[in-house]
Amino acid sequence: MGQVSSKKNEGKYAKEYNQNDRNNNKEQTRINKNLTKYEKNETYLTISVIDAHKFIEGRRFCIAKDVTYTFPNDNQEASRFNESIKLMKQLFNSNYSAPVEKLLSHGAKVLEIGTGGGFWLADMSKTFPMSIFLGLDISTTFHQECLPENCAFLEYNYFEEIPFPENTFDYVFQQSISSSKFRDNQLDIHLREIFRVVKPGGWIEIFGTPTEIINAGPASKEFIKLVRKCYQFNGLDPSIVHAYPNKLRSLNIKKVQVVETQYYLSHHNTISENKESSLLLATAESLRVMIKMAVGYTDEEYDAILRGMAIEQKTLNMSVRCIRIFGQKESNFT
């Protein structure tokens, strides 16, 4: 009888377990259906390293939906990116140009888009310990454990959307939104997303460089020609940087201002005399793979251009334009 009773209880418990399991499944289904679009879109947060990247000639490139970035996504590129951000800090005498110092000193929520090697994120969070900083990029190329306690990093495909509710941030800084990233229709969508997540009265700032070298020699002119062809091959507009101010104004951003400075590539320029002077050649090296694929150059042909650029950098007063555009979201805008 004990065995029969035990079997009956097992059957009872099994029925109860199955019923509870079905109820749990129904509840989970209900929860899944109620997830917001940001919580549901985990494709690029959970994708494996193997699927998320493609290695071409020893350089790692990010593979994600709608991503048109022509630069590699590896440690070498992260180092080059950090050096360029440090140089911009020197050129502009600050990590930012928008009038946000008081805001950041008292405590604000800041989003950096296109974190790259993480220098801007870490440096700003140390400078303004009362504020909270969040970096956003499609891939991680730095050690997050080295970040200060008042900042964090989220790996997410921001080419599709910015995964935060409306009116979240007091200040958004978009790094290197140059010709190498967004097609025109993508840029419009992205700027609307930035506008959406900025609080009324908050600030938006964008950094970009036109695809040109002033006073370029023959080799440098040929390099720029190749870069423009590479961008066009990928559906990118080499001159899109010039459209940023009007694009911000079209979003009802007020107080739109443009701050511009020139980075002189000559070795004789005081700000360029050390490792910064190699940034032009480092940038050319980062674009080697994509330019070869788009234009059909051989390594020998490309190396010849780089040698010519190195000579011109020593002998010509060449420069590139570095531009920051910023503006404020109207406080009464709904």
Side-chain angles (χ1 to χ4, degrees):
M1 293 291 294
Q3 291 180 349
V4 173
S5 176
S6 176
K7 288 181 180 180
K8 286 183 178 180
N9 288 335
E10 288 177 3
K12 174 185 176 182
Y13 298 145
K15 289 180 180 179
E16 291 178 353
Y17 177 84
N18 291 335
Q19 183 61 42
N20 289 336
D21 190 47
R22 284 194 291 270
N23 291 338
N24 288 337
N25 288 338
K26 288 180 180 179
E27 179 64 14
Q28 187 61 53
T29 300
R30 185 188 66 81
I31 292 172
N32 289 339
K33 287 182 178 180
N34 290 333
L35 288 175
T36 66
K37 65 176 181 178
Y38 304 117
E39 292 169 329
K40 286 165 63 179
N41 190 6
E42 296 180 346
T43 304
Y44 302 105
L45 296 177
T46 60
I47 194 168
S48 71
V49 174
I50 294 176
D51 294 331
H53 300 94
K54 184 175 182 179
F55 288 84
I56 307 173
E57 297 187 13
R59 301 303 301 270
R60 189 181 74 168
F61 292 84
C62 184
I63 306 298
K65 184 180 179 182
D66 295 327
V67 173
T68 50
Y69 196 45
T70 51
F71 284 85
N73 182 258
D74 53 22
N75 291 334
Q76 182 178 338
E77 173 59 19
S79 177
R80 185 202 68 82
F81 185 87
N82 275 348
E83 292 303 323
S84 69
I85 299 304
K86 292 176 187 177
L87 178 61
M88 291 308 107
K89 181 181 179 180
Q90 287 182 277
L91 288 173
F92 288 97
N93 295 314
S94 176
N95 275 318
Y96 55 92
S97 294
V100 293
E101 183 171 358
K102 185 177 180 180
L103 178 69
L104 299 179
S105 297
H106 286 81
K109 292 181 180 179
V110 181
L111 175 66
E112 181 200 19
I113 305 174
T115 302
F119 173 79
W120 192 94
L121 182 67
D123 198 44
M124 286 289 285
S125 59
K126 292 174 184 176
T127 305
F128 299 102
M130 297 297 291
S131 289
I132 298 172
F133 293 82
L134 178 66
L136 183 68
D137 212 335
I138 58 176
S139 184
T140 309
T141 54
F142 63 94
H143 299 293
Q144 297 183 49
E145 61 270 17
C146 299
L147 293 175
E149 292 185 354
N150 62 321
C151 72
F153 174 79
L154 175 64
E155 185 174 316
Y156 196 91
N157 183 10
Y158 63 84
F159 282 72
E160 285 198 317
E161 63 183 359
I162 299 176
F164 298 99
E166 295 180 1
N167 307 328
T168 298
F169 297 99
D170 301 286
Y171 176 46
V172 175
F173 191 102
Q174 169 70 62
Q175 291 285 9
S176 298
I177 189 169
S178 62
S179 307
S180 63
K181 278 189 177 180
F182 292 95
R183 298 186 178 99
D184 188 60
N185 63 322
Q186 287 180 315
L187 178 60
D188 291 338
I189 295 171
H190 181 67
L191 291 178
R192 286 197 294 269
E193 278 289 281
I194 292 178
F195 179 83
R196 182 182 63 80
V197 300
V198 173
K199 295 178 181 178
W203 291 87
I204 297 171
E205 184 165 353
I206 299 169
F207 170 73
T209 53
T211 312
E212 57 190 39
I213 296 178
I214 300 170
N215 297 324
S220 299
K221 285 181 179 178
E222 180 64 19
F223 169 67
I224 290 298
K225 181 180 177 181
L226 294 175
V227 173
R228 295 176 73 88
K229 284 184 177 180
C230 178
Y231 290 167
Q232 291 168 345
F233 178 82
N234 286 284
L236 302 168
D237 180 1
S239 303
I240 201 170
V241 174
H242 303 295
Y244 295 162
N246 285 335
K247 285 183 179 293
L248 286 182
R249 293 187 184 101
S250 69
L251 294 171
N252 290 318
I253 296 295
K254 64 178 184 178
K255 300 180 182 178
V256 174
Q257 296 186 46
V258 178
V259 180
E260 181 176 331
T261 187
Q262 286 187 318
Y263 166 43
Y264 288 91
L265 303 169
S266 169
H267 286 267
H268 302 293
N269 185 264
T270 55
I271 204 170
S272 310
E273 59 186 3
N274 295 315
K275 61 184 177 181
E276 287 88 356
S277 64
S278 65
L279 274 176
L280 173 63
L281 297 179
T283 301
E285 191 59 48
S286 289
L287 287 168
R288 175 189 289 267
V289 173
M290 284 298 175
I291 286 178
K292 285 171 57 183
M293 292 176 63
V295 184
Y297 261 48
T298 65
D299 280 313
E300 291 75 16
E301 291 171 322
Y302 198 69
D303 286 338
I305 291 177
L306 265 60
R307 286 193 297 270
M309 291 170 62
I311 295 172
E312 292 169 357
Q313 193 172 355
K314 294 178 181 179
T315 57
L316 300 177
N317 192 32
M318 301 189 301
S319 64
V320 295
R321 298 166 61 198
C322 304
I323 302 173
R324 286 177 177 172
I325 305 102
F326 62 86
Q328 186 178 33
K329 183 175 180 178
E330 288 191 303
S331 57
N332 61 347
F333 191 90
T334 56

